């Protein structure tokens, strides 16, 4: 029994050590992939995301897979983009239908017949996730979210047109801060009245 216990402890230690290294490698590769995306090297970004998933035994975080799909779509590698989108739609229960349908990174996928299918799955995921929520509350929260994201999605275009230190971008950030303050009051009121909303 003593030998079995020692063996089990050694096995668990080795497993945790190896898994920890895999996790560290995954994080390192994801960071590199994101930097490549930001520098518009979309093909290399997609490849680094793929390396990260391999390093973690084929697993990956939903947001990382979504970002990988964006990189592949921008690199015009549609098959690879759809692989990632279907993984998060079918296995990860990705529910952010609004973001996915408005994300310009994925525009190259819209003409492909697989787009309608993946969007249909995500929409069903969203409806299932919201099934236990009150309709009016869902509309309020969705409106807050869409408004929040719309202003943030405009940042990149304003920066490219006017520059990071421009008056236009500073004014836009002012508008975002103002909307954030209003939305914070709305969300706080919901939490005060209803507590944490359960999904």
């Amino acid at each position: 029994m003593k030998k079995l216990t020692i063996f089990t402890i050694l096995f668990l230690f080795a497993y945790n050590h190896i898994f920890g290294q895999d996790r560290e490698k995954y994080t390192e590769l994801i960071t590199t992939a994101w930097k490549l995306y930001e520098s518009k090297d979309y093909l290399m970004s997609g490849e680094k995301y793929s390396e990260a998933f391999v390093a973690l035994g084929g697993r990956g975080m939903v947001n990382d897979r979504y970002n990988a799909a964006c990189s592949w779509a921008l690199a015009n590698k549609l098959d690879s983009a759809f692989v990632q989108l279907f993984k998060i739609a079918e296995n990860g229960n990705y529910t952010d239908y609004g973001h996915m349908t408005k994300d310009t990174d994925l525009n190259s996928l819209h003409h492909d017949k697989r787009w309608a299918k993946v969007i249909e799955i995500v929409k069903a995921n969203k409806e299932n996730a919201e099934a236990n929520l009150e309709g009016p509350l869902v509309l309020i929260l969705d409106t807050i979210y869409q408004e929040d994201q719309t202003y943030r999605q405009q940042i990149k275009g304003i920066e490219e047109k006017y520059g990071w230190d421009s008056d236009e971008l500073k004014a836009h950030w002012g508008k975002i801060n103002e909307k954030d303050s209003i939305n914070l009051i709305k969300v706080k009121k919901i939490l005060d009245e209803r507590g944490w909303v359960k999904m």
Side-chain angles (χ1 to χ4, degrees):
M1 183 70 170
K2 186 177 179 183
K3 286 182 182 178
L4 182 59
T5 303
I6 291 171
F7 175 76
T8 303
I9 290 169
L10 289 173
F11 173 78
L12 290 173
F13 176 75
Y15 177 81
N16 286 335
H17 180 70
I18 291 167
F19 182 74
Q21 287 177 332
D22 290 348
R23 200 71 161 127
E24 196 174 300
K25 183 70 173 169
Y26 176 85
T27 302
E28 179 185 312
L29 288 165
I30 291 296
T31 301
T32 301
W34 180 251
K35 287 178 182 172
L36 288 164
Y37 168 88
E38 288 183 315
S39 67
K40 299 183 171 58
D41 191 347
Y42 303 121
L43 182 61
M44 282 299 296
S45 175
E47 289 173 0
K48 285 297 172 188
Y49 277 116
S50 292
E51 282 182 49
F53 304 143
V54 169
L56 206 57
R59 296 183 309 274
M61 301 293 289
V62 171
N63 286 343
D64 296 333
R65 287 198 182 277
Y66 183 89
N67 291 338
C70 290
S71 291
W72 286 123
L74 290 165
N76 214 26
K77 300 292 184 182
L78 307 192
D79 291 341
S80 296
F82 278 115
V83 165
Q84 298 306 322
L85 291 178
F86 276 107
K87 278 186 186 288
I88 62 173
E90 295 174 339
N91 302 331
N93 291 323
Y94 184 82
T95 61
D96 200 344
Y97 176 81
H99 179 73
M100 185 182 273
T101 55
K102 292 180 182 177
D103 191 343
T104 56
D105 284 356
L106 303 176
N107 282 353
S108 65
L109 307 179
H110 293 187
H111 69 279
D112 192 292
K113 64 184 177 185
R114 293 171 288 184
W115 178 251
K117 180 64 178 166
V118 77
I119 286 299
E120 179 185 316
I121 295 168
V122 172
K123 187 175 183 184
N125 289 346
K126 182 179 188 292
E127 289 168 358
N128 288 337
E130 294 173 352
N132 296 327
L133 295 176
E134 298 173 33
L137 179 58
V138 170
L139 289 174
I140 292 167
L141 293 173
D142 192 52
T143 300
I144 290 169
Y145 175 76
Q146 293 304 327
E147 185 179 77
D148 175 82
Q149 291 304 300
T150 297
Y151 283 106
R152 281 171 167 74
Q153 289 170 359
Q154 293 169 353
I155 292 170
K156 186 177 179 183
I158 294 169
E159 179 191 355
E160 287 174 355
K161 188 172 181 180
Y162 299 106
W164 183 253
D165 291 325
S166 68
D167 290 338
E168 289 82 0
L169 190 58
K170 288 175 186 171
H172 191 73
W173 273 110
K175 194 182 300 182
I176 289 172
N177 290 333
E178 179 185 333
K179 291 293 182 183
D180 284 351
S181 297
I182 293 166
N183 288 337
L184 180 62
I185 292 166
K186 291 177 184 176
V187 172
K188 186 178 183 314
K189 184 175 187 290
I190 291 168
L191 292 173
D192 288 345
E193 292 174 358
R194 301 170 183 259
W196 287 99
V197 179
K198 294 183 180 175
M199 295 293 278

